[in-house]
Amino acid sequence: MAAEIQPRPQTRKPVLLSKIEGFQDVVNTAVIIPKEDGVISVSQDRTIRVWLKRDSGQYWPSVFHTMPGESSVQHRSSHQGGVTVVLFVLEMEWVLSTGQDKSFTWHCSENGQQLGTYQTAAWVSGLQFDVETRHAFVGDHSGQVTILKLEQDNCSLVTTFKGHTSNVTALCWDPVQRVLFSGSSDHSIIMWDIGGRKGTAFELQGHNDKVQGLCYAPHTRQLISCGSDGGIVIWNMDVTRQETPEWLDSDSCQKCEQPFFWNFKQMWDSKKIGLRQHHCRKCGQAVCGKCSSKRSTIPLMGFEFEVRVCDSCHGSITDEERAPTATFHDSKHSIIHMQYEPTRGWLLTSGTDKIIKASTCSHSIVSVLFDRD
């Protein structure tokens, strides 16, 4: 369940170092050029631009190309709807793709031959792949994540799991710790312990709007998430986290035993008006508003914002347990795509405001801007 909207703590202001003219439309995606001081961007106006840093310290589009409205190349389409995610797996020489037609396919990158396909429950918006085990992680608009075992020309369903109340918007896989992160329109992130084989799931609540992108920095064990509200959160994953409890069912408050408003028999017998049901985020008990009047952060449970807790749990939470495990930053634009380059520690974000920003995660959140205005 999404956390109640709260102001972000520890907000840091970005520091702008440079700004250039771009004259581009909304940027759908942007990637950092490996081993180069440059960026490739793709916009809704069908333009592809390569931005390289000049001696002046500014970035200019060294390559500019506009794709035609309709391709003149004959090809066989593997999707009947729009393509949503594409992954290239160099080790396997595979191209994985998903579409709005509720299909997941993989092709041979050498000859373009389709090797296999799988029909998903809803159209897919997140895709990750583990080379060692050949497992594909597929997140869709029903909020479900599906794990598939891929072979050269077929696949098998391993398992499915669902913890989000809305569509999955982003996936991120850590092959070392064997942990999968999923972001959603319900404002939450879930950390799935795939390697532990215990089905453990940890919630992370730190966004006030839908999560748009996830990246993982393995050398520092930090998860980086961005939201459509412009928020960038850097999570410390090198801590022992706790699972959030299941919400318990009850016809009366499990603290004061006052009946809830649907418990007509107890209301009649006790001659008391029924109360609204709430749940303590720490213990999961069903409680009334009077017995859960306090709020607290519980960072080790993923609650970086203050959430409802019962009075007894509030008194048991120590200052050390309230210590934040994440830092919050404002990118100053509505992010639709994010990429992290771990070698240099660069974070690249593009937004609906036609801006590309390159950042460093070790210091302030903005170091380079690409803008059309």
Side-chain angles (χ1 to χ4, degrees):
M1 185 174 182
E4 299 169 16
I5 294 179
Q6 299 283 343
R8 288 194 189 92
Q10 304 182 20
T11 301
R12 299 180 182 180
K13 294 183 179 180
V15 177
L16 176 64
L17 299 184
S18 64
K19 181 177 181 179
I20 68 170
E21 300 291 335
F23 301 105
Q24 58 189 9
D25 206 331
V26 173
V27 180
N28 290 329
T29 187
V31 295
I32 298 167
I33 303 174
K35 300 180 181 180
E36 294 287 344
D37 216 346
V39 172
I40 301 173
S41 66
V42 180
S43 304
Q44 282 189 5
D45 58 8
R46 305 196 312 275
T47 60
I48 299 175
R49 300 167 189 247
V50 179
W51 306 83
L52 296 178
K53 190 174 184 178
R54 303 303 176 88
D55 294 339
S56 62
Q58 294 182 319
Y59 287 76
W60 293 96
S62 303
V63 176
F64 178 96
H65 179 68
T66 301
M67 299 295 292
E70 296 182 3
S71 174
S72 59
V73 179
Q74 296 294 322
H75 68 283
R76 180 188 302 173
S77 175
S78 61
H79 294 283
Q80 300 302 315
V83 177
T84 53
V85 188
V86 176
L87 282 183
F88 173 54
V89 184
L90 177 62
E91 296 85 349
M92 312 299 299
E93 296 185 344
W94 287 351
V95 176
L96 315 181
S97 62
T98 62
Q100 293 180 350
D101 57 357
K102 304 180 184 179
S103 68
F104 161 68
T105 66
W106 63 105
H107 289 72
C108 174
S109 61
E110 289 293 303
N111 55 28
Q113 178 184 357
Q114 180 173 311
L115 302 175
T117 185
Y118 180 85
Q119 289 299 122
T120 57
W123 72 273
V124 177
S125 45
L127 178 62
Q128 289 285 279
F129 184 75
D130 180 58
V131 175
E132 181 182 348
T133 62
R134 297 189 182 184
H135 283 158
F137 306 96
V138 182
D140 62 43
H141 263 232
S142 72
Q144 178 175 283
V145 177
T146 302
I147 303 181
L148 301 171
K149 171 77 171 183
L150 300 192
E151 301 297 344
Q152 188 64 25
D153 56 0
N154 63 79
C155 72
S156 57
L157 175 64
V158 177
T159 188
T160 60
F161 40 86
K162 186 172 182 179
H164 292 290
T165 59
S166 187
N167 58 298
V168 174
T169 54
L171 292 178
C172 180
W173 171 245
D174 174 17
V176 178
Q177 302 296 322
R178 308 204 63 76
V179 168
L180 180 71
F181 300 96
S182 61
S184 171
S185 292
D186 63 12
H187 311 179
S188 73
I189 301 164
I190 298 180
M191 169 183 162
W192 307 91
D193 185 8
I194 305 297
R197 302 182 184 276
K198 297 179 181 178
T200 307
F202 303 98
E203 286 189 48
L204 301 175
Q205 300 280 1
H207 287 279
N208 284 327
D209 209 330
K210 67 178 178 179
V211 178
Q212 288 287 74
L214 296 170
C215 300
Y216 188 70
H219 59 292
T220 57
R221 295 198 64 182
Q222 290 177 312
L223 177 70
I224 307 166
S225 61
C226 67
S228 58
D229 60 351
I232 296 177
V233 185
I234 301 179
W235 306 83
N236 176 16
M237 303 310 299
D238 196 20
V239 296
T240 302
R241 295 191 175 272
Q242 304 170 19
E243 278 194 286
T244 53
E246 293 288 339
W247 283 7
L248 302 177
D249 293 325
S250 179
D251 290 329
S252 58
C253 175
Q254 293 180 297
K255 295 296 181 181
C256 68
E257 299 183 350
Q258 290 278 352
F260 293 132
F261 62 83
W262 61 81
N263 190 350
F264 298 109
K265 184 180 186 305
Q266 188 176 344
M267 284 192 292
W268 176 264
D269 292 342
S270 63
K271 302 297 187 291
K272 293 179 179 178
I273 298 176
L275 304 176
R276 182 183 175 188
Q277 177 184 259
H278 300 282
H279 283 91
C280 173
R281 300 308 193 268
K282 183 170 174 59
C283 68
Q285 286 190 316
V287 290
C288 67
K290 183 178 179 181
C291 294
S292 60
S293 60
K294 296 181 173 59
R295 302 291 186 273
S296 177
T297 60
I298 320 174
L300 294 182
M301 281 188 167
F303 297 115
E304 295 287 338
F305 298 152
E306 289 189 342
V307 291
R308 180 186 296 274
V309 293
C310 66
D311 292 353
S312 58
C313 282
H314 185 272
S316 69
I317 302 173
T318 65
D319 291 340
E320 289 76 13
E321 290 177 313
R322 290 189 176 94
T325 63
T327 57
F328 296 77
H329 315 265
D330 191 354
S331 70
K332 300 295 184 182
H333 69 157
S334 178
I335 300 172
I336 59 177
H337 178 77
M338 178 175 67
Q339 187 216 0
Y340 177 67
E341 203 279 307
T343 305
R344 289 173 286 183
W346 279 18
L347 182 68
L348 202 69
T349 60
S350 55
T352 57
D353 51 5
K354 308 171 187 178
I355 294 176
I356 304 170
K357 296 183 179 181
S359 318
T360 57
C361 292
S362 57
H363 298 93
S364 53
I365 271 303
V366 175
S367 60
V368 182
L369 241 217
F370 304 95
D371 194 356
R372 66 168 290 179
D373 297 325

Coordinates of all heavy atoms in Angstrom, one line a residue, residues 76-79 95 97 103-108 111-118 152-153:
R76 N 10.1 -8.3 -40.7 CA 9.0 -9.0 -40.1 C 8.9 -8.5 -38.6 O 9.8 -8.6 -37.8 CB 9.3 -10.5 -40.1 CG 8.2 -11.4 -39.5 CD 8.6 -12.8 -39.3 NE 9.0 -13.4 -40.6 CZ 9.6 -14.6 -40.7 NH1 9.8 -15.3 -39.6 NH2 9.9 -15.0 -41.9
S77 N 7.7 -8.0 -38.3 CA 7.4 -7.5 -37.0 C 7.1 -8.7 -36.0 O 6.3 -9.5 -36.4 CB 6.3 -6.5 -37.0 OG 6.0 -6.1 -35.7
S78 N 7.7 -8.6 -34.8 CA 7.4 -9.7 -33.9 C 6.4 -9.2 -32.9 O 5.9 -10.0 -32.0 CB 8.7 -10.1 -33.1 OG 9.2 -9.0 -32.4
H79 N 5.9 -8.0 -32.9 CA 4.9 -7.5 -32.0 C 3.8 -6.8 -32.8 O 4.0 -6.1 -33.8 CB 5.5 -6.4 -31.1 CG 6.5 -7.1 -30.1 ND1 6.1 -7.8 -29.0 CD2 7.9 -7.0 -30.1 CE1 7.2 -8.2 -28.4 NE2 8.3 -7.8 -29.0
V95 N 18.3 -10.8 -28.6 CA 17.6 -9.5 -28.4 C 16.3 -9.9 -27.8 O 15.5 -10.6 -28.4 CB 17.4 -8.8 -29.8 CG1 16.6 -7.5 -29.5 CG2 18.8 -8.4 -30.4
S97 N 12.6 -8.6 -26.3 CA 11.7 -7.4 -26.5 C 10.3 -7.8 -26.0 O 9.9 -8.9 -25.9 CB 11.6 -7.1 -28.0 OG 11.0 -8.1 -28.7
S103 N 3.1 -9.6 -25.3 CA 4.0 -10.7 -25.7 C 5.4 -10.3 -25.4 O 5.8 -9.2 -25.3 CB 3.9 -10.9 -27.2 OG 4.4 -9.9 -28.0
F104 N 6.2 -11.4 -25.1 CA 7.6 -11.3 -24.8 C 8.3 -12.2 -25.8 O 7.9 -13.4 -25.9 CB 7.9 -11.7 -23.4 CG 9.3 -12.1 -23.1 CD1 10.3 -11.1 -23.2 CD2 9.7 -13.4 -22.9 CE1 11.7 -11.5 -23.0 CE2 11.0 -13.8 -22.7 CZ 12.0 -12.8 -22.7
T105 N 9.3 -11.7 -26.5 CA 9.9 -12.5 -27.6 C 11.4 -12.4 -27.4 O 11.9 -11.4 -26.8 CB 9.5 -12.1 -29.0 OG1 10.0 -10.8 -29.2 CG2 8.0 -12.1 -29.2
W106 N 12.2 -13.4 -28.0 CA 13.6 -13.2 -28.1 C 14.1 -13.7 -29.4 O 13.5 -14.7 -30.0 CB 14.3 -13.9 -26.9 CG 14.2 -15.4 -26.8 CD1 15.1 -16.4 -27.1 CD2 13.1 -16.1 -26.3 NE1 14.7 -17.6 -26.8 CE2 13.4 -17.5 -26.3 CE3 11.8 -15.8 -25.8 CZ2 12.5 -18.5 -25.9 CZ3 10.9 -16.7 -25.4 CH2 11.3 -18.1 -25.4
H107 N 15.0 -12.9 -30.0 CA 15.5 -13.2 -31.4 C 17.0 -13.4 -31.3 O 17.7 -13.0 -30.4 CB 15.3 -12.0 -32.3 CG 13.8 -11.8 -32.6 ND1 12.9 -11.3 -31.7 CD2 13.2 -12.0 -33.8 CE1 11.7 -11.2 -32.3 NE2 11.9 -11.6 -33.6
C108 N 17.5 -14.1 -32.3 CA 19.0 -14.2 -32.6 C 19.5 -12.9 -33.2 O 18.9 -12.4 -34.2 CB 19.3 -15.3 -33.5 SG 21.1 -15.4 -34.0
N111 N 21.1 -13.3 -37.0 CA 20.4 -13.5 -38.3 C 18.9 -12.9 -38.2 O 18.2 -13.0 -39.1 CB 20.3 -15.0 -38.7 CG 19.8 -15.9 -37.6 OD1 19.0 -15.4 -36.7 ND2 20.2 -17.1 -37.6
G112 N 18.5 -12.4 -37.0 CA 17.2 -11.8 -36.8 C 16.1 -12.9 -36.6 O 14.9 -12.5 -36.5
Q113 N 16.4 -14.1 -36.6 CA 15.4 -15.2 -36.4 C 14.8 -15.1 -35.1 O 15.4 -15.0 -34.1 CB 16.0 -16.6 -36.7 CG 15.0 -17.7 -36.5 CD 15.7 -19.1 -36.7 OE1 16.9 -19.1 -36.9 NE2 15.0 -20.1 -36.5
Q114 N 13.4 -15.2 -35.1 CA 12.7 -15.3 -33.8 C 12.9 -16.7 -33.2 O 12.6 -17.7 -33.8 CB 11.2 -15.0 -34.0 CG 10.5 -15.1 -32.7 CD 9.0 -14.6 -32.8 OE1 8.7 -13.6 -33.4 NE2 8.1 -15.4 -32.3
L115 N 13.4 -16.7 -31.9 CA 13.7 -18.0 -31.3 C 12.5 -18.5 -30.4 O 12.3 -19.7 -30.3 CB 14.9 -17.9 -30.4 CG 16.2 -17.4 -31.1 CD1 17.3 -17.2 -30.1 CD2 16.6 -18.4 -32.2
G116 N 11.8 -17.6 -29.8 CA 10.6 -18.0 -29.0 C 9.8 -16.8 -28.6 O 10.2 -15.7 -28.8
T117 N 8.6 -17.1 -28.1 CA 7.7 -16.1 -27.6 C 6.9 -16.6 -26.4 O 6.7 -17.8 -26.2 CB 6.8 -15.6 -28.7 OG1 5.9 -14.5 -28.3 CG2 5.8 -16.8 -29.2
Y118 N 6.4 -15.7 -25.6 CA 5.6 -16.0 -24.4 C 4.5 -14.9 -24.3 O 4.8 -13.7 -24.3 CB 6.4 -16.1 -23.2 CG 5.7 -16.4 -21.9 CD1 5.4 -17.8 -21.6 CD2 5.2 -15.4 -21.1 CE1 4.7 -18.1 -20.4 CE2 4.5 -15.7 -19.9 CZ 4.3 -17.1 -19.6 OH 3.6 -17.4 -18.4
Q152 N 17.2 -22.0 -26.0 CA 17.5 -21.5 -27.3 C 16.2 -21.3 -28.1 O 16.1 -20.3 -28.8 CB 18.4 -22.5 -28.1 CG 18.9 -21.9 -29.4 CD 19.8 -20.7 -29.3 OE1 20.4 -20.5 -28.2 NE2 19.9 -19.9 -30.3
D153 N 15.2 -22.2 -28.0 CA 14.0 -22.0 -28.8 C 12.7 -22.2 -28.0 O 11.7 -22.4 -28.6 CB 14.1 -23.0 -30.0 CG 14.2 -24.4 -29.6 OD1 14.3 -24.7 -28.3 OD2 14.3 -25.3 -30.4

